[in-house]
Amino acid sequence: QQQVKQSPQSLIVQKGGISIINCAYENTAFDYFPWYQQFPGKGPALLIAIRPDVSEKKEGRFTISFNKSAKQFSLHIMDSQPGDSATYFCAANQAGTALIFGKGTTLSVSS
Amino acid sequence: GAVVSQHPSRVICKSGTSVKIECRSLDFQATTMFWYRQFPKKSLMLMATSNEGSKATYEQGVEKDKFLINHASLTLSTLTVTSAHPEDSSFYICSARTDRANEQFFGPGTRLTVL
């Protein structure tokens, strides 16, 4: 019940295309759902996060869609750029507890 | 966003020695800090949760006597890998949480190589 399942494991998108990464969770007590971006040899950087009281949050080219009934949330990267090539992790937690991470998605954006 | 630093960024040591890694929240106070370990092309594995002024809580399978964690102040936590062996070689990452918003910010990581 503590797992966060992330897919796909890897993704190749053409420059200008839309990258979509999906995550699913089981624990209905989770109330915070962030996405992190990690470049090789660096720590993860908080990209965008959502709470279950909204169904969508947009920041620039990055959008989180949240489906509470399906217990799923996804990251959409619009107009994907080669600089977006990185590993993306979804995560979830309940306030006061440690984040549970998905296994990560390696995104490659071809120019 | 909030800034978390780690020192050193990379360290190479001989087998049997101890290595200390520092994690600092630079512009906020963090009552809770976390230590993770990451293997190549893998996800982050939580090792322990550290609360300021109290003993760390270790995840199952993590040896508390091998990975000593101290959280002496609201801006500093340290991880000491004692009697390091080659299998301890890994990327260690800390994070600090802001109490206000439950947001967690990560340090840049420390690459440990044990020869």
Side-chain angles (χ1 to χ4, degrees):
Chain A
Q1 206 182 22
Q2 285 295 93
Q3 281 188 329
V4 176
K5 295 182 179 179
Q6 183 172 347
S7 64
Q9 185 175 352
S10 62
L11 182 61
I12 299 175
V13 173
Q14 283 197 332
K15 180 180 176 182
I18 302 173
S19 304
I20 302 174
I21 306 171
N22 301 297
C23 280
Y25 64 98
E26 291 293 327
N27 190 341
T28 55
F30 286 159
D31 58 9
Y32 178 65
F33 304 89
W35 284 91
Y36 286 87
Q37 178 189 57
Q38 186 179 30
F39 292 103
K42 305 294 183 183
L46 179 63
L47 198 59
I48 187 172
I50 198 168
R51 298 186 190 278
D53 52 343
V54 296
S55 60
E56 186 175 282
K57 182 175 181 180
K58 184 175 180 179
E59 289 184 2
R61 296 185 294 111
F62 301 94
T63 300
I64 297 181
S65 296
F66 184 80
N67 186 329
K68 189 174 181 178
S69 60
K71 291 184 284 187
Q72 295 175 346
F73 58 110
S74 60
L75 175 69
H76 295 232
I77 306 175
M78 312 300 285
D79 187 26
S80 299
Q81 298 296 312
D84 297 329
S85 297
T87 300
Y88 293 81
F89 293 97
C90 64
N93 78 337
Q94 184 180 359
T97 65
L99 283 170
I100 307 295
F101 282 87
K103 293 193 176 210
T105 296
T106 301
L107 171 65
S108 295
V109 181
S110 57
S111 53
Chain B
V3 180
V4 177
S5 71
Q6 263 183 260
H7 177 79
S9 58
R10 89 184 33 237
V11 56
I12 300 172
C13 68
K14 292 182 179 179
S15 186
T17 60
S18 294
V19 174
K20 180 185 282 188
I21 302 170
E22 290 186 349
C23 176
R24 293 181 186 274
S25 57
L26 297 184
D27 51 1
F28 67 100
Q29 293 185 329
T31 53
T32 306
M33 290 185 171
F34 304 90
W35 287 95
Y36 295 83
R37 184 173 181 177
Q38 186 177 35
F39 292 103
K41 299 189 185 299
K42 296 294 184 182
S43 188
L44 291 83
M45 183 187 78
L46 179 66
M47 299 175 65
T49 300
S50 166
N51 289 295
E52 184 264 339
S54 62
K55 290 184 179 180
T57 302
Y58 291 81
E59 295 299 301
Q60 191 172 12
V62 178
E63 300 176 57
K64 61 180 182 181
D65 294 330
K66 180 162 189 65
F67 299 100
L68 300 179
I69 291 172
N70 184 276
H71 193 160
S73 77
L74 287 172
T75 59
L76 173 64
S77 177
T78 60
L79 168 67
T80 301
V81 183
T82 62
S83 186
H85 288 93
E87 57 266 30
D88 298 324
S89 298
S90 191
F91 193 51
Y92 292 88
I93 313 173
C94 72
S95 71
R97 182 167 65 198
T98 62
D99 290 338
R100 283 187 298 118
N102 193 30
E103 292 178 327
Q104 199 168 322
F105 298 93
F106 285 82
T110 297
R111 172 73 59 193
L112 170 64
T113 303
V114 185
L115 301 176

